């Protein structure tokens, strides 16, 4: 929803100058331009306008050369003014949108030319991009002055300007004034196709505006009220939900779209894939991939990267590798995506091999690529390799480490037991450490039982993010592991006094295209009785082979039997039980969990995979665990 709406002017001078139209590069255009100057043909306003159009708006545009061409025009016509203003407004350079706005006021002061309906969309976009509400309101006044306040495309960009500046009240007033009118029978009156399309655009802009402000209820209500929806309408809502973390709602909208008469397009697929990735909805992700192939939607580097990311995060790293290898073009983003995916699955050596391939192919690694490489080292405990990559990135490549790079290094060192080195790295960082980095160190303290450092790090976190439950829970967990129940009680009392609540464990499993969500100790599902019976069966089967639950993970001072019962109803175990009763034998189970898997669930899953001859793939907050034949892909290093 960031593009400006334009219509095509009624006349193109390009038909009169085929020598310009045939230009393939800016260098070729300059030769034609030089010839026109020598022959005085450039004094023809139409010829100059066409040279300007090529410089400013073609695929080979050169905005700086376009400015020089425009400045040499003796008396540019409205088409030329519109061309240079549009080019500046569309430029990605920070200063150009402001230049477009300033040039427009020069145009207004020029008595020989007047702005028209093709001028204002670009000017309004420039105001929106630079968040210049005051100037935008002045432009609004000029729109009224020139009698263009009923032009659908000008109004759409006016509404967009107010939306981008966060003034939804004025945007709404314009929307109401210019949206679809009704006749006496309350039937929609559409004067013509142009009016109809303009109305759809207005509705889309308003929905986008409410999404930008986080008013999701208002956005959905307006969307549901739309008399007509285009594919852009659906894309706006799906993208808005996904970008704001409402992944379930994004998927629901995508399913609803599938049942309607509007077909998803390239943008739809790119928008919905991150939401599919978040929930690990592999079957739906496969459908998206198949839909793209059957409908001739090009799987380029952008859609390809989204598909690679989806397959990686949905547990099918082999399919991610297949998609990656088939991409016609690979850039730093696609390489970074597959390297990050391999890292998440614990395939560190493969991730490092792909990094080497990337360099050999001539693609320059980005700072994101190094995050994937360092993450791979962290998941496999490759401390020396991680140190080497970090040093190479800084000293040889010249990247300034981001907070994410330091986070990877702290995680790498902490997991490997180098707690003092990890803490020293945090304290000597040139940038202020965030809570994520301190949490990584706190997690490492828990793994290695360093309560003294853990207490110190938890205090830092409690001061930094006092209402985040993570530090309190981790500290309480450490105390519980050492049997210090008095300290556990103190932490819990502190949480109660500050009204801090632990994030509940939650797991998702997708079966037959439907996502089933389970919370810890969940009995709300329609098949809860069958699930509980299966959980009892699993517990009995584990006991038969001599497995005893790791009750040290229970943070409550309960007797042993109560602790074992509490462990039995962790959300991922409920999801596995549901998967076992709903799928045929030997069918793999894919599960996504919002928290890190606990030690008891990790040990149990290894045995469950062996007992029931199932491959169980669990993605927790940190990484993937592939359980099969009684072992895990992480090799118990996690």
């Amino acid at each position: 929803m960031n593009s400006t709406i334009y219509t095509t002017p009624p006349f193109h001078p390009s038909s009169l100058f085929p020598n310009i139209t045939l230009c393939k590069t800016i260098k070729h255009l300059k030769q034609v331009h030089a010839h026109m100057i020598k022959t005085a043909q450039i004094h023809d306003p139409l010829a100059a306008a066409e040279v300007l159009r090529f410089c400013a708006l073609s695929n080979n545009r050169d905005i700086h050369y376009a400015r020089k061409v425009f400045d040499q025009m003796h008396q540019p016509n409205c088409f030329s003014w519109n061309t240079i203003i549009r080019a500046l407004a569309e430029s990605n350079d920070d200063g150009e949108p402001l230049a477009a706005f300033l040039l427009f006021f020069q145009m207004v002061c020029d008595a020989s030319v007047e702005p028209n309906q093709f001028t204002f969309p670009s000017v309004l976009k420039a105001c929106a991009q630079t968040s210049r509400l005051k100037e935008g309101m002045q432009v609004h006044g000029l729109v009224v002055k020139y009698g263009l306040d009923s032009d659908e495309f000008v109004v759409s960009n006016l509404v967009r300007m107010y939306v981008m500046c966060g003034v939804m009240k004025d945007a709404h007033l314009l929307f109401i004034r210019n949206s679809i009118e009704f006749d006496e029978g309350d039937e929609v009156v559409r004067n013509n196709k142009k009016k109809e399309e303009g109305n759809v655009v207005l509705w889309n802009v308003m929905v986008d505006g409410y999404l930008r402000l986080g008013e999701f209820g208002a956005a959905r209500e307006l969307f549901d009220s739309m008399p007509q929806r285009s594919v852009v309408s659906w894309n706006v809502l799906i993208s808005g939900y996904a970008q704001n973390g409402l992944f379930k709602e994004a998927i629901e909208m995508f399913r609803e779209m599938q049942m309607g008469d509007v077909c998803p397009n390239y943008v739809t697929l790119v928008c919905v894939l991150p939401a599919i990735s978040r929930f690990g909805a592999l079957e739906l992700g496969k459908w998206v991939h198949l839909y793209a192939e059957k409908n001739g939607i090009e799987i380029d580097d952008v859609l390809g990267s989204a598909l690679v990311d989806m397959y990686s995060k949905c547990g099918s790293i082999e399919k991610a590798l297949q998609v990656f290898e088939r991409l016609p073009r690979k850039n730093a983003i696609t390489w970074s995506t597959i390297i990050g995916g391999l890292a998440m699955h614990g395939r560190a050596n493969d991730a490092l091999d792909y990094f080497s391939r990337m360099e050999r192919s001539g693609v320059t690694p980005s700072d994101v690529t190094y995050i994937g490489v360092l993450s791979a080292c962290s998941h496999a405990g490759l401390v020396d390799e991680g140190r080497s990559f970090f040093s190479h990135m800084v000293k040889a490549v010249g990247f300034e480490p981001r907070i994410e790079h330091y986070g990877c290094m702290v995680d790498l060192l902490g997991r490997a037991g180098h707690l003092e080195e990890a803490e020293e790295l945090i304290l000597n960082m040139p940038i202020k450490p965030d809570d994520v980095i301190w949490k990584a160190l706190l997690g490492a303290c828990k793994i290695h039982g360093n309560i003294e450092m853990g207490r110190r790090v938890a205090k830092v976190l409690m001061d930094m993010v006092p209402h985040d439950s993570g530090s309190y829970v981790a500290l309480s967990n450490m105390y519980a592991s050492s049997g210090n129940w008095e300290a556990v009680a103190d932490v819990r009392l502190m949480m109660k006094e500050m009204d801090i609540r632990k994030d509940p464990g939650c797991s998702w499993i997708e079966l037959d295209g439907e996502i089933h969500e389970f919370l810890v100790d969940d009995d709300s599902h329609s098949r809860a009785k069958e699930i509980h019976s299966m959980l009892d069966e699993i517990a009995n089967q584990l006991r038969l082979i001599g497995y005893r639950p790791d009750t040290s993970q229970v943070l409550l001072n309960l007797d042993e039997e109560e602790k074992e019962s509490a462990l039995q109803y962790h959300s991922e175990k409920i999801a596995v039980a549901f998967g076992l009763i709903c799928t045929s034998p030997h069918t793999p189970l894919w599960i996504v969990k919002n928290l890190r898997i606990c030690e008891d669930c990790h040990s149990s899953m290894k045995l469950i995979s062996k007992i029931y001859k199932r491959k169980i793939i669990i993605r927790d907050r940190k990484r993937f665990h592939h359980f099969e034949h009684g072992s895990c892909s992480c090799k118990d290093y996690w």
Side-chain angles (χ1 to χ4, degrees):
M1 290 301 293
N2 290 326
S3 60
T4 305
I5 290 81
Y6 299 102
T7 57
T8 304
F11 173 72
H12 279 294
S14 59
S15 58
L16 301 175
F17 305 97
N19 55 338
I20 297 177
T21 307
L22 292 173
C23 289
K24 300 297 183 184
T25 65
I26 195 70
K27 182 179 179 181
H28 189 191
L29 183 277
K30 288 179 179 179
Q31 293 173 348
V32 174
H33 186 201
H35 177 73
M36 285 183 161
I37 293 172
K38 286 182 179 181
T39 59
Q41 193 178 9
I42 196 65
H43 297 307
D44 181 343
L46 295 181
E50 183 59 11
V51 171
L52 177 66
R53 185 203 63 78
F54 186 97
C55 300
L57 300 177
S58 72
N59 292 333
N60 301 287
R61 67 185 65 184
D62 183 336
I63 191 66
H64 299 296
Y65 192 75
R67 287 296 300 269
K68 291 178 181 178
V69 171
F70 180 80
D71 291 341
Q72 291 298 316
M73 289 183 172
H74 175 62
Q75 200 170 37
N77 58 21
C78 187
F79 179 85
S80 295
W81 279 101
N82 291 349
T83 299
I84 192 65
I85 290 172
R86 175 179 172 181
L88 291 166
E90 290 181 344
S91 174
N92 292 324
D93 292 344
D94 291 339
E96 302 295 16
L98 178 59
F101 176 75
L102 297 173
L103 202 60
F104 167 71
F105 274 96
Q106 290 181 33
M107 180 185 185
V108 172
C109 295
D110 189 333
S112 65
V113 65
E114 282 190 357
N116 61 16
Q117 71 268 34
F118 305 113
T119 314
F120 285 101
S122 298
V123 180
L124 290 165
K125 178 177 183 179
C127 293
Q129 283 187 311
T130 54
S131 300
R132 292 181 174 268
L133 176 62
K134 182 179 178 181
E135 289 82 353
M137 295 175 73
Q138 292 173 339
V139 175
H140 187 176
L142 289 171
V143 167
V144 176
K145 176 183 175 181
Y146 287 105
L148 297 172
D149 52 330
S150 60
D151 183 284
E152 291 89 352
F153 299 100
V154 174
V155 169
S156 294
N157 284 281
L158 262 175
V159 172
R160 189 191 307 281
M161 182 275 295
Y162 283 116
V163 163
M164 295 289 284
C165 291
V167 187
M168 287 303 294
K169 181 179 178 181
D170 289 354
H172 187 74
L173 288 173
L174 270 174
F175 168 71
I176 295 298
R177 190 181 306 151
N178 291 277
S179 59
I180 298 172
E181 300 173 353
F182 294 87
D183 66 9
E184 293 178 353
D186 284 337
E187 292 182 357
V188 175
V189 175
R190 296 183 178 90
N191 297 327
N192 49 47
K193 188 68 176 175
K194 180 180 174 185
K195 177 72 176 178
E196 183 177 325
E197 291 173 354
N199 280 322
V200 174
V201 171
L202 266 182
W203 286 80
N204 292 343
V205 171
M206 288 300 296
V207 171
D208 181 56
Y210 284 120
L211 289 168
R212 286 176 181 275
L213 293 178
E215 298 182 21
F216 305 112
R220 181 59 192 269
E221 185 178 345
L222 197 61
F223 178 85
D224 291 339
S225 302
M226 291 180 73
Q228 181 188 5
R229 301 186 189 110
S230 66
V231 66
V232 176
S233 311
W234 289 94
N235 291 348
V236 166
L237 201 59
I238 292 170
S239 175
Y241 280 148
Q243 290 176 5
N244 286 280
L246 301 175
F247 303 111
K248 190 173 184 180
E249 289 81 354
I251 291 175
E252 287 173 353
M253 289 307 303
F254 181 64
R255 292 192 185 282
E256 191 175 324
M257 182 184 188
Q258 290 174 266
M259 294 185 286
D261 56 359
V262 177
C263 295
N265 64 7
Y266 172 93
V267 176
T268 316
L269 306 188
V270 172
C271 290
V272 77
L273 280 169
I276 293 172
S277 301
R278 174 64 176 80
F279 274 96
L282 181 60
E283 293 306 313
L284 183 56
K286 287 180 178 177
W287 184 93
V288 168
H289 188 185
L290 185 63
Y291 177 88
E293 292 181 332
K294 282 191 171 182
N295 289 274
I297 297 176
E298 181 188 5
I299 300 178
D300 60 5
D301 51 351
V302 176
L303 181 55
S305 294
L307 283 169
V308 170
D309 184 64
M310 180 276 295
Y311 279 119
S312 297
K313 290 180 178 174
C314 289
S316 185
I317 189 63
E318 295 301 333
K319 188 65 178 176
L321 289 165
Q322 288 177 20
V323 173
F324 174 81
E325 296 296 350
R326 291 174 186 169
L327 290 177
R329 295 177 304 277
K330 299 178 179 69
N331 57 23
I333 296 174
T334 54
W335 280 103
S336 299
T337 303
I338 193 62
I339 290 169
L342 287 165
M344 191 186 301
H345 283 266
R347 293 175 56 168
N349 291 330
D350 290 334
L352 301 188
D353 285 343
Y354 269 74
F355 179 78
S356 297
R357 277 184 57 190
M358 178 183 184
E359 291 188 309
R360 290 196 302 270
S361 70
V363 178
T364 303
S366 67
D367 56 351
V368 176
T369 313
Y370 279 95
I371 293 174
V373 170
L374 293 173
S375 177
C377 293
S378 175
H379 288 317
L382 304 177
V383 177
D384 291 337
E385 291 86 344
R387 289 191 186 115
S388 176
F389 278 114
F390 186 83
S391 176
H392 179 79
M393 179 189 75
V394 176
K395 296 177 181 177
V397 182
F399 281 138
E400 189 73 30
R402 287 164 42 185
I403 195 81
E404 293 86 353
H405 298 111
Y406 284 110
C408 288
M409 286 303 296
V410 169
D411 194 55
L412 167 65
L413 296 168
R415 285 178 185 276
H418 302 281
L419 298 178
E420 288 75 16
E421 184 180 349
E423 185 178 29
E424 185 179 348
L425 179 63
I426 295 175
L427 296 175
N428 292 320
M429 283 167 49
I431 51 179
K432 185 179 180 180
D434 62 4
D435 60 308
V436 177
I437 283 185
W438 284 111
K439 284 177 183 176
L441 182 57
L442 182 58
C445 292
K446 176 182 175 293
I447 291 171
H448 297 285
N450 192 327
I451 295 178
E452 181 182 348
M453 183 183 288
R455 188 186 298 113
R456 187 167 67 247
V457 173
K459 178 66 168 61
V460 173
L461 277 165
M462 289 171 186
D463 291 338
M464 184 180 290
V465 279
H467 293 282
D468 187 328
S469 65
S471 54
Y472 299 89
V473 172
L475 186 60
S476 177
N477 200 339
M478 278 190 279
Y479 286 139
S481 297
S482 64
N484 188 347
W485 297 109
E486 184 179 346
V488 171
D490 290 341
V491 175
R492 287 186 164 274
L493 179 61
M494 192 187 311
M495 292 177 69
K496 184 177 181 180
E497 290 174 347
M498 297 179 66
D499 195 27
I500 298 170
R501 305 188 183 192
K502 177 186 175 184
D503 294 332
C506 182
S507 296
W508 300 270
I509 183 171
E510 181 197 26
L511 295 176
D512 299 324
E514 183 179 355
I515 297 171
H516 299 265
E517 182 179 66
F518 298 98
L519 297 173
V520 62
D521 205 18
D522 196 344
D523 61 356
S524 62
H525 197 275
S526 59
R527 300 183 67 176
K529 288 185 178 179
E530 296 173 78
I531 293 171
H532 282 208
S533 295
M534 177 54 72
L535 285 168
D536 289 337
E537 180 191 314
I538 291 171
N540 289 331
Q541 290 291 335
L542 289 171
R543 272 193 289 269
L544 286 174
I545 60 174
Y547 179 74
R548 294 289 297 175
D550 183 1
T551 55
S552 67
Q553 302 305 305
V554 181
L555 306 184
L556 300 173
N557 193 8
L558 306 172
D559 63 39
E560 202 66 17
E561 186 176 342
E562 290 174 313
K563 287 181 179 181
E564 290 184 14
S565 177
L567 288 172
Q568 183 175 331
Y569 294 103
H570 279 193
S571 63
E572 59 267 55
K573 287 180 180 173
I574 299 175
V576 165
F578 180 67
L580 289 173
I581 65 176
C582 292
T583 59
S584 56
H586 309 296
T587 302
L589 302 178
W590 280 273
I591 293 159
V592 177
K593 180 177 171 63
N594 67 328
L595 303 176
R596 190 165 177 264
I597 189 171
C598 75
E599 284 86 343
D600 178 73
C601 285
H602 191 269
S603 299
S604 299
M605 290 300 167
K606 289 192 291 185
L607 296 174
I608 292 170
S609 72
K610 185 176 182 179
I611 293 168
Y612 291 93
K613 297 180 173 59
R614 298 286 191 115
K615 184 173 184 179
I616 302 172
I617 302 167
I618 296 181
R619 187 186 89 198
D620 70 6
R621 188 173 60 189
K622 286 284 186 182
R623 60 171 297 163
F624 271 95
H625 298 269
H626 295 253
F627 300 97
E628 192 171 17
H629 306 308
S631 62
C632 179
S633 59
C634 74
K635 299 180 176 60
D636 297 334
Y637 186 86
W638 52 283

